[in-house]
Amino acid sequence: MAEKPSHAASAALYRAVWRWHFIAGLVVLPFVLILAVTGGIYLFKDEINNAAHHRLRFVEASGETLPPSQIVAAALASHPGILKAYTPPPAADRSAEVDILGADGLRDTIYVNPHDAEVLGTLWDGGAAGSPAMYVVRKLHSLEYVGWVGNRLIEAAAGWMILLVASGIYLWLPRGRTSVGTLRIKATKGRPWWRDLHAVTGIYTGVFIVFLAMTGLPWSDVWGKKFYDTAYTLGLGIPDGYWSEVPVSTVPTQDVVDRAPWIMERQPIPTSPDGGAHAGHAAGGMATGANSGGVPALLDQVTAEVERLGIVPGYSLTMPGGDTGVFTASVYPDDITYERVIHLDQYSGAVLYDAGLQDLGTLGRWAEWGISVHMGQEWGLANQIALLLACAAMVMMCVSAAVMWWKRRPAGALGVPRVPTDWRIPRTLLVMAIAAGIFFPLVGLSMLILVMVEVLVHFGRRRAGAA
């Protein structure tokens, strides 16, 4: 007799988990498709950019590399404007890149042969994406085209992906002698075949999906900011007191450079100590800083200094903004042990700040490693292929879920699994939902919205039945 209540509670929990897995899956399905497709493409952005713009990005490795000032001067001569950044050639057979803000308000990247200063061509500046096409892919991946709403939708979808994997594993687990979790597709056709495809794909790739979701969350506005602040408070992110001897601005690093280590993006850049004095000189026609137009006087010196400090090839040097601005050299290479951010005084070239991975706390280093793997750069091609297969699996699971829903739904209805007749929420599910809502705030908010919809539908049906 004691087994019946236990069995009934288990059955109620199963039905409730299945219903929420079903509803949440349908709600986040389009977002998961966007993340999977754009993420799979962006994994190979460097290879795509190199193939699509080979003529601009590659040169014949011949002769010595010209001084940065000469390369930048050639770019400005062909494309007048305000110099914003300079990227030295990362290899002897690669071109140098000069970012210039034109009179039309658009920022373009000028590709220059570093051996003879020949201007090879221009592209609209795609920032860290490396090209306009990859810029579009990156913006679609984060839904930035629809502003802050898109970022929060993607954040909620990432949180739900983790819960969908957890609930999917629960639904897959064997129950009794007739219900056995399958590790291969047993059915041969119809909805059972799609169900097996969905379950088997999920059980083999669930850990990859959870990893991608968790390592993508640091970029989000709500969860990411909370993680950043928590890591800082615990002394496990960016070290406290880093700016104790250096005056800082209110401009975060992410607004200055195209690509910097994630944990440093929100940190303010320092200011050039003598900015006020030089601003006064500038008013009298004696500007000596880098922001007075043309090629900065200290460009060659600053470039030589950061390379002397050991910054690895592939770095970019951002020009100072305003009289108190600084030069900022930053690099985020495939091997994140060499990531680096260096700020230098625009008037003297003195180093104001120099930090790399080794300067971060434990959570900061873990976050950087996770993001590096997320972007497919930590282990080269093997990393890219593994995550590409995970993205393909996510697409397959979305398609199979949609087909299963379509095949099981009654005509003219959504076919959502029914609410238990006693309308009681299993205690285990309630605890899980509260915990998930606390850890993923936007998931908790969306849960409340779904609960409200559930209640409205439930009482709507009761009224209809009474009528």
Side-chain angles (χ1 to χ4, degrees), residues 99-132:
D99 294 343
I100 296 175
L101 181 66
D104 55 3
L106 297 178
R107 178 165 163 164
D108 296 307
T109 298
I110 318 301
Y111 295 86
V112 182
N113 188 323
H115 306 297
D116 59 10
E118 176 192 1
V119 174
L120 304 174
T122 67
L123 282 177
W124 177 74
D125 180 30
S131 71

Side-chain angles (χ1 to χ4, degrees), residues 47-386:
E47 290 81 358
I48 294 172
N49 287 336
N50 289 341
H53 307 292
H54 189 276
R55 185 184 64 82
L56 297 178
R57 297 167 71 93
F58 290 88
V59 298
E60 183 179 350
S62 59
E64 296 293 326
T65 300
L66 297 174
S69 57
Q70 190 171 341
I71 295 172
V72 169
L76 286 169
S78 68
H79 195 93
I82 300 174
L83 176 66
K84 304 300 289 185
Y86 167 68
T87 302
D93 64 342
R94 294 292 300 273
S95 60
E97 300 178 15
V98 183
D99 294 343
I100 296 175
L101 181 66
D104 55 3
L106 297 178
R107 178 165 163 164
D108 296 307
T109 298
I110 318 301
Y111 295 86
V112 182
N113 188 323
H115 306 297
D116 59 10
E118 176 192 1
V119 174
L120 304 174
T122 67
L123 282 177
W124 177 74
D125 180 30
S131 71
M134 288 299 103
Y135 176 88
V136 172
V137 172
R138 180 173 182 171
K139 292 299 181 182
L140 287 174
H141 188 69
S142 59
L143 283 187
E144 288 188 34
Y145 281 117
V146 291
W148 65 269
V149 175
N151 183 280
R152 282 157 177 75
L153 288 173
I154 289 296
E155 178 179 344
W160 273 111
M161 284 165 59
I162 297 170
L163 299 188
L164 285 171
V165 170
S167 58
I169 292 174
Y170 172 80
L171 297 173
W172 173 88
L173 291 173
R175 283 172 183 79
R177 297 179 179 178
T178 58
S179 177
V180 180
T182 179
L183 294 174
R184 61 184 179 86
I185 299 176
K186 296 178 180 179
T188 57
K189 61 180 180 179
R191 193 166 68 88
W193 184 87
W194 288 100
R195 179 201 61 204
D196 284 359
L197 174 65
H198 186 82
V200 171
T201 303
I203 208 66
Y204 282 119
T205 61
V207 64
F208 293 96
I209 295 173
V210 170
F211 177 82
L212 285 172
M214 286 300 301
T215 53
L217 281 171
W219 281 301
S220 62
D221 285 341
V222 179
W223 194 95
K225 186 177 185 304
K226 189 65 177 177
F227 177 81
Y228 187 98
D229 292 341
T230 301
Y232 175 81
T233 301
L234 296 175
L236 299 175
I238 200 77
D240 194 13
Y242 234 71
W243 305 110
S244 57
E245 298 179 359
V246 180
V248 296
S249 67
T250 58
V251 181
T253 302
Q254 63 186 354
D255 288 355
V256 175
V257 304
D258 286 335
R259 191 175 184 183
W262 171 81
I263 200 70
M264 300 179 190
E265 287 181 348
R266 300 173 191 264
Q267 288 297 309
I269 64 169
T271 60
S272 293
D274 296 330
H278 284 282
H281 290 312
M286 299 175 59
T288 59
N291 200 43
S292 55
V295 181
L298 297 183
L299 180 61
D300 292 344
Q301 175 186 329
V302 168
T303 303
E305 176 63 12
V306 296
E307 292 181 358
R308 184 191 67 79
L309 292 172
I311 197 168
V312 297
Y315 76 92
S316 291
L317 182 66
T318 304
M319 302 301 117
D323 296 312
T324 60
V326 295
F327 286 102
T328 298
S330 62
V331 65
Y332 192 75
D334 290 348
D335 185 350
I336 61 165
T337 57
Y338 295 105
E339 69 178 27
R340 198 90 169 264
V341 173
I342 306 174
H343 298 294
L344 305 96
D345 187 302
Q346 67 164 301
Y347 301 104
S348 66
V351 175
L352 303 175
Y353 172 91
D354 182 0
L357 186 71
Q358 71 280 358
D359 298 300
L360 304 180
T362 302
L363 284 180
R365 292 194 298 271
W366 286 359
E368 293 301 317
W369 177 83
I371 290 172
S372 178
V373 177
H374 182 102
M375 298 180 66
Q377 63 183 45
E378 187 66 20
W379 298 303
L381 184 60
N383 194 163
Q384 293 171 296
I385 292 176

